[in-house]
Amino acid sequence: MLFIPELVLLIGSLVLFGVSLGEGKEKMAHNVALGLSVAASLLCLATLGQKGSLFFDAYRIDLFSQLFKLAMALGMTVVIIFGGQLKGITTKMRPEYYLFMVLSTLGLMMLVSSVELLTLFVALELSSFALYLMVPMRDDHGGLRIQMEAAIKYILFGVVATGTMLYGMSYLYGLTGTTYMSDLVPKMHELAGNPTAMLAIALFMSGFFYKLAVFPFHFWVPDVYQGASNVTTAFIASIPKLAATALLIRITTLVAPDAGESVVMLLMVCAVCSMFYGNLSALVQTDIKRMLGFSGIAHAGFVLLGLLTLDTAGFATSMYYISGYLFMNLACFLVICKVSQNGENVSIDDLSGLYKRAPLLALTLLIGMLALAGIPPFVGFMGKFMLLTGALKAGHLPLVILAALNTAIAIYYYLSVVRVAFTKAPEDRPDVSVDVLTRVVSVALIVIIIFMGVVPKPILALATSAVKSIL
Amino acid sequence: MDFLIINEGFPILSTLVFLPLVGALILLFLPSENLQRMCAMLITVVTALFSIQLFTGFDTTTAKYQFGEHVSWIPSLNINYTLGIDGISLLLVLLTTFIMPLCVLGSWTYIKKRVKEFMICLLIMETAMLGVFMALDFALFYILWEAMLIPMYLLIAIWGGPRKTYASIKFFLYTLAGSVMLLVAIIALYLANDGTFSIPIMMGQDYPFSFQIWVFLAFFLAFAIKVPMFPFHTWLPAAHVEAPTAGSVVLASVLLKMGTYGFLRFCLPITPLATISLGPYILWLSIAAILYGGFTALAQSDMKKLIAYSSVGHMGFVTLGIFFLNKQGLEGAILQMINHGITTGALFLCVGMLYERTHSREIADHSGIAQNVPIFVTFLTIFSLSSLAFPATNSFVGEFLVLASAFSVNKIIAGAAIPGAILAAAYMFRLLQHVLFRGPGRPDLQDLNVREIVTLAPLLFFVFWIGLAPEPFLNVMHASVDNLLGQVELAKAGAQMAMMPLP
């Protein structure tokens, strides 16, 4: 019972493999994938309260893991719905594309439950390889083969990050003689302040810095965001980041609550660099996916703000923030996928007059962008507010001021997008048609973004008890 | 909770805050444009009528916050939904509720496209504005303060004039960038008070002097941009000129008051020592605003720009009154906030009515129209006289109080403000002279219709009521102003050491 969401996805991926053998089964593959993601969401919801260990204690089910799985399954559902006909993907490859998407989600779900280093590594690779394959599956519109460039960059950076992570794991094993997280925690606390142990943790984290796109492991972001098809980018930009945050929280517990001055320093430097690099680079982008890529780097810096307080409240806030980020980000990508006619990239100017061409999309974009910018009453504000409060409580005043300055910088580029959508004339750009299901999803995203911002209490309480369950 | 008189009965304040929001939701489902206008009108009128009981039921003898409501909202951070009003916020709440129906009425025919969305924006604005004046929890205040920007941005960006893109983005960026450090200050205060966001608890605490200075500067940046004080005023003319009439009215009547309200509610009681030390500099900034606003208004050929710059000058008088830190000055400042809301709101409505007829805001295009539109010109004249603080109109009382307090404290500063009053007369008479007497007139112009007269008449009524009998309005603020000054005096007495003025 405990393993059932993953099991369903596993069986489903076999079914999808069968579907992908035939020709002309795109529609069917879509339906299977949609069914799978909905089923996985429901099953995650059903197993939310359960606890247990599987596979010789290498795999743990608790509130923490199930919450992340639920968020991922929901995210995948949303991506599949607004991805619709997979406009940017070669027709023939669409069934395989769904197969890899499901496999990647499966890998990510297993990742958040893994509490043993080798299991963790296997799960990570399962999700990464599926993602590496999804990037080059884009059809070659421009003839520039940018998707290949993106894929190569994604793989190379990914492999390097995985390598450093493995190196860090080897140190951990060498220092403690165990690969189980539960045994690692007390032993790492004994080793507090030991430079080798801190180096091991830093290297271990790097693999997830890569996934979350934290400086200095962010270099793949702009090109991959631009080169991959819109749906792929939507997926890469939101769902792996959840898993990365989950794992970073788990790794940080190795040094929490009071054993990691150097780790805090490391996180602080990474956070500040990510925020400034991301926000300043985003200011000059013309391609909206690239812009969101840089903004994602900045948001990753904000997530680190919660981690570096090293306490339960901070971890819970990071969870809250990243789940809010999932929905804000998906809202923006929903608009991009729909505005793009044949799966081509969308420049910011292509959004001109969107409020005349598709009012609902314009509203979704407005709320998504302003939420990302951190304007109340949306979830982005509440998350930032609590992160800043937590960081200041932990005594990091300079960091908080730098982060606040970054919010001010970030507003400009988010607002520029809104400005184009609301005040520029559409000229000869056609109206955008939106199917009913996507309409429902975009209204749902708006409601979630507002609801999480106005009533953060239940989600925060859930996140807090989730974090307590792993400490 | 001894600062708050909890309202046990019907939650009046919450109703006032959420009624417009509910109205906005209802509007979503209304089909025809006329129905939408009617509904918005109905909601705003009901809100206004409902708010009268605040005035009648207000206890003028206590400085405590009345009609209080307190609900826990985010317990993990100790953020509460606390509402309450005192003598400082009462009149501002009433000003907001009463100006909104006039905004709806004034945009009846002015807004022709996307009526539903326009009315929804206005109603959401009303919710946020009322919330800002009633909030007694700093987190709640900040959320509403920022949330207000979105509908206001849309009002300018969608229904604005030709340079709406520039104006709206400048408005948004300016205000938001200013408030970022306010957030840091709020969090710092939260931690300094053992984890509470309650504004009344933050008041009158014994913070270290340097802490007060930093917090004050963060407050000042946010509020001075909103007021706007010279040299942070540059967003104002752009936003006013491009905004639709209702947007200009809301901006001038209510939004600008939030800056000065912020000074009164936060700077004075929370950081009194910093206020005392830095006050003289702010007084000179106010003088600069009065003179700068006056001279710039004198040179404008666009009526909306003229009124916008005159706002800079008028708000200079308000900040002048606040930072003299005596009773007359504070009461004059609060009254002047209300007066400016009434008079400038009315002037923007007048210009909007002209613009609807001639599609021009240039003074030169309307020369000599007094013979064609006598009713309109009567209104315009009275509001212009009120704007230059003519005796028997509302602004006279406020400006008189402010100047009287100025002369009692510092004759040099007071003397420097006097040319501002003369400048106000100069630019207003220049406008009147052109519109009334010079030039051939425009026989094609229609005079005001009944709807427009109904829009302006209530404002006219208040111009004379406050001008001739200001006592009821001053009465409600005595207790709160005394209390506020008491807090400042207490801090002064408690920290004579820190009284050394900054070099």
Side-chain angles (χ1 to χ4, degrees), chain A residues 355 370 375-376 378 381-382 385-386 388-389 392-393 404 408 411-412 415 418-419 422-423 454 456-457 460, chain B residues 73-77 79 114 142-143 146-147 150 153 157-158 165 172-173 176 180 183-184 187 190-191 197:
Chain A
Y355 102 104
L370 293 184
I375 312 242
F378 307 125
F381 168 76
M382 206 32 105
F385 179 64
M386 292 192 292
L388 292 180
T389 311
L392 200 54
K393 216 183 235 171
I411 291 153
Y412 180 76
L415 198 61
V418 174
R419 182 197 67 189
F422 278 85
T423 61
V454 177
K457 191 161 83 172
L460 213 56
Chain B
W73 181 20
I74 306 169
S76 62
L77 280 174
I79 297 176
R114 301 193 175 259
Y142 188 82
I143 287 169
E146 297 275 274
I150 302 168
Y153 170 80
I158 297 179
T165 310
F172 199 110
L173 285 179
L176 221 155
V180 168
L183 182 64
V184 178
I187 300 175
Y190 165 73
L191 296 173
F197 281 108

Side-chain angles (χ1 to χ4, degrees), chain A residues 386-460:
Chain A
M386 292 192 292
L387 286 173
L388 292 180
T389 311
L392 200 54
K393 216 183 235 171
H396 305 299
L397 177 67
L399 183 66
V400 170
I401 291 179
L402 290 177
L405 277 180
N406 265 288
T407 0
I409 301 172
I411 291 153
Y412 180 76
Y413 60 85
Y414 292 121
L415 198 61
S416 304
V417 176
V418 174
R419 182 197 67 189
V420 169
F422 278 85
T423 61
K424 264 200 172 179
E427 287 157 9
D428 52 357
R429 295 187 176 84
D431 284 2
V432 183
S433 65
V434 188
D435 54 293
V436 180
L437 207 51
T438 309
R439 276 173 189 276
V440 173
V441 168
S442 70
V443 171
L445 285 173
I446 292 173
V447 171
I448 291 175
I449 290 172
I450 296 178
F451 180 80
M452 280 180 77
V454 177
V455 196
K457 191 161 83 172
I459 295 128
L460 213 56

Side-chain angles (χ1 to χ4, degrees), chain B residues 22 104 112 138-139 190 278 310 322 361 436 462 501:
Chain B
V22 172
V104 174
K112 293 194 173 65
F138 226 144
Y190 165 73
L278 296 173
S310 83
I322 292 174
R361 292 184 304 255
L436 291 175
F462 279 104

Side-chain angles (χ1 to χ4, degrees), chain B residues 379-403:
Chain B
F379 276 113
L380 184 68
T381 310
I382 295 173
F383 290 128
S384 300
L385 290 177
S386 154
S387 176
L388 62 88
F390 198 73
T393 63
N394 53 353
S395 301
F396 174 75
V397 184
E399 218 164 280
F400 180 83
L401 281 170
V402 169
L403 285 176

Side-chain angles (χ1 to χ4, degrees), chain B residues 107 110-111 118 122 152 154-161 164 239-251 304 348 352 361:
Chain B
S107 348
Y110 187 93
I111 300 298
F118 182 85
L122 273 187
M152 195 63 215
L154 293 176
L155 280 179
I156 303 176
I158 297 179
W159 294 275
K164 58 190 181 183
H240 265 323
V241 170
E242 301 307 325
T245 304
S248 295
V249 174
V250 171
L251 202 56
K304 257 190 162 177
F348 274 123
R361 292 184 304 255

Side-chain angles (χ1 to χ4, degrees), chain A residues 12 37 55 162 266 282 314 334 360 379 412 436 441 443 463:
Chain A
S37 59
F55 310 127
T162 316
L266 170 80
L334 181 147
L360 181 64
V379 60
Y412 180 76
V436 180
V441 168
V443 171

Side-chain angles (χ1 to χ4, degrees), chain B residues 258-387:
Chain B
M258 289 180 180
T260 41
Y261 172 74
F263 285 134
L264 289 169
R265 177 65 82 231
F266 305 112
C267 286
L268 266 55
I270 295 180
T271 59
L273 295 179
T275 309
I276 293 167
S277 309
L278 296 173
Y281 302 97
I282 297 174
L283 289 177
W284 282 109
L285 273 184
S286 311
I287 297 290
I290 293 171
L291 297 180
Y292 176 88
F295 276 117
T296 326
L298 202 52
Q300 299 306 319
S301 60
D302 179 315
M303 285 192 260
K304 257 190 162 177
K305 260 196 179 150
L306 189 152
I307 302 169
Y309 278 109
S310 83
S311 288
V312 176
H314 289 310
M315 293 312 281
F317 272 105
V318 177
T319 45
L320 194 68
I322 292 174
F323 283 95
F324 274 122
L325 299 176
N326 61 27
K327 190 172 174 186
Q328 257 180 337
L330 284 176
E331 291 189 350
I334 298 170
L335 195 66
Q336 195 60 4
M337 280 155 77
I338 308 299
N339 291 338
H340 180 260
I342 294 168
T343 307
T344 310
L347 284 171
F348 274 123
L349 281 171
C350 286
V351 175
M353 288 166 188
L354 263 192
Y355 184 77
E356 253 188 276
R357 290 169 167 73
T358 63
H359 298 282
S360 161
R361 292 184 304 255
E362 292 295 312
I363 296 176
D365 290 345
H366 302 95
S367 42
I369 56 170
Q371 44 190 319
N372 312 112
V373 282
I375 305 178
F376 172 80
V377 169
T378 313
F379 276 113
L380 184 68
T381 310
I382 295 173
F383 290 128
S384 300
L385 290 177
S386 154
S387 176

